[in-house]
Amino acid sequence: MSVIIGLFENIRMYKSFDYAIGNLINFGLENNLPKIDEIIMKYIEFLERHLELAITYPNDFSLWEKILECKNVENEKIYQFLFKKVEINKLNLLVPKKDYFDMQDYMQTEFLNYCYVLTIINESDKTVLSNYMPQLLKEINKADINKRQVFKGIFFNSISSKDDEKYSKLSLYFFIKFHNGINEEIYCLYKKSIESLLKETVNDLNVINFITATILRYEQPTTSVFTLITHSSFRSQIYRLTFDLYWESDGRPKYATQWVNQLILEDKIFISQSIRTIVKYIRDEEVDKTNSLINILKSSNIEPHYKLREEDFIIMTFVKECSREQLKKTVELIRILCEKGYMHVTKLIETEIEITLNKLQEYNLETKSLLESLKPYTRVRIFNEWNRKYGC
């Protein structure tokens, strides 16, 4: 014990061995070494003299979590240190300037590590944070606006509903990070921030998932949000998630069907995603999903600006080995694309269709109707060749 304590008897020694100190304390806590509680209390006494080190590496939230879980350490003494000694306004929240929000940048800061420690305390005993929250809010309201908004997004439920800072865009990012789902009332309060995010670059999949799920649950596709989504820089990710949520096992979001039906009428990017999704469903033999989405595509009005893209129709990977039923569904999809004027037969798609025709012949299935559908979109020489080989 004296050896470990000796490493943090003075600040110069600590700074020389901070990595080793962190590892030793972690090891002691994980293995419940004798007198580890005494070491922890000595360590906290050291940190009280050097508060600038309290939430910096190696004293990040993972170490504090282990300290808080240590049964031999008096939690009240730790709470006194964390809530009364640590100066929340002096913890840094410095992140590099970027064109988009990056949660990882915030995760490296002292301020967010401190907030994480508070959430750990709150998970184990909600009364502790509740008792200290008035004091924390008094201090946090003296801090700069970014700290205030981050804090109020994380501890949303502890903040007054009259405090507009908890509904800011920055708060929303941290609400998403630290909370699971929202009700319609909270969605309405965050709606302006969600609309703002739809106009920006968003790379965080958790945020995109949250936006998609809440809109499908609480927003009909007849509002300004529809326009924002169809012009969003991350609409492709939204559309992929829309299909995932459409088949959610615990219940389809209230407006998911309306969104799918409306998007397939008006957005060629959504049509692309729909075709890729149908191909995936056929390949994976998800019959109900295939039939449902084919029917939606078939019954939708024509979007005049869409033409089939090669990347939307990659079927050769499975058609060579597909079953009769998979083949029939593939042919049905091709015919719908032709009927709607979406078909665009490039050289690669010619290869895909050739494989399909060959497979039809192998299964002794009718090819004439498919060839007739493809005729307006196919080069004369290629069509004549197909007709000669497969049209009998």
Side-chain angles (χ1 to χ4, degrees), residues 44-59:
I44 288 175
E45 288 173 13
F46 166 78
L47 293 176
E48 285 180 345
R49 299 193 300 273
H50 303 283
L51 290 173
E52 73 279 7
L53 305 174
I55 313 292
T56 60
Y57 182 84
N59 306 309

Side-chain angles (χ1 to χ4, degrees), residues 188-330:
C188 291
L189 293 168
Y190 267 133
K191 185 175 176 178
K192 286 185 179 178
S193 292
I194 290 171
E195 289 176 344
S196 180
L197 289 182
L198 285 167
K199 300 173 186 177
E200 299 179 5
T201 299
V202 177
N203 297 321
D204 190 320
L205 189 58
N206 286 333
V207 174
I208 297 172
N209 198 357
F210 175 91
I211 290 172
T212 307
T214 53
I215 287 173
L216 293 181
R217 287 191 176 96
Y218 304 123
E219 194 75 50
Q220 295 188 58
T222 53
T223 65
S224 59
V225 176
F226 184 87
T227 302
L228 290 173
I229 284 182
T230 55
H231 290 81
S232 169
S233 65
F234 53 95
R235 62 179 170 172
S236 293
Q237 292 99 313
I238 290 175
Y239 294 165
R240 283 198 295 272
L241 287 164
T242 295
F243 285 115
D244 290 342
L245 293 167
Y246 189 82
W247 300 108
E248 208 170 48
S249 59
D250 59 349
R252 183 175 299 167
K254 183 176 181 180
Y255 297 112
T257 300
Q258 289 184 36
W259 274 96
V260 169
N261 287 330
Q262 192 67 30
L263 286 166
I264 210 165
L265 290 177
E266 299 190 31
D267 190 353
K268 61 184 181 181
I269 300 300
F270 190 79
I271 296 172
S272 290
Q273 184 62 52
S274 300
I275 294 166
R276 285 198 298 273
T277 304
I278 291 171
V279 169
K280 176 183 178 296
Y281 290 163
I282 295 172
R283 184 193 66 216
D284 296 344
E285 299 184 82
E286 297 187 82
V287 178
D288 291 342
K289 293 181 180 182
T290 300
N291 291 337
S292 179
L293 197 47
I294 278 181
N295 287 336
I296 291 171
L297 179 64
K298 187 175 182 178
S299 61
S300 65
N301 292 339
I302 294 170
E303 209 293 327
H305 302 294
Y306 175 75
K307 291 296 178 185
L308 183 65
R309 303 183 305 173
E310 291 177 348
E311 60 265 36
D312 299 336
F313 194 69
I314 301 172
I315 64 171
M316 68 171 70
T317 53
F318 74 88
V319 167
K320 286 181 180 179
E321 305 297 330
C322 74
S323 68
R324 290 172 70 94
E325 290 307 311
Q326 285 175 304
L327 185 61
K328 288 178 181 179
K329 287 300 173 185
T330 302

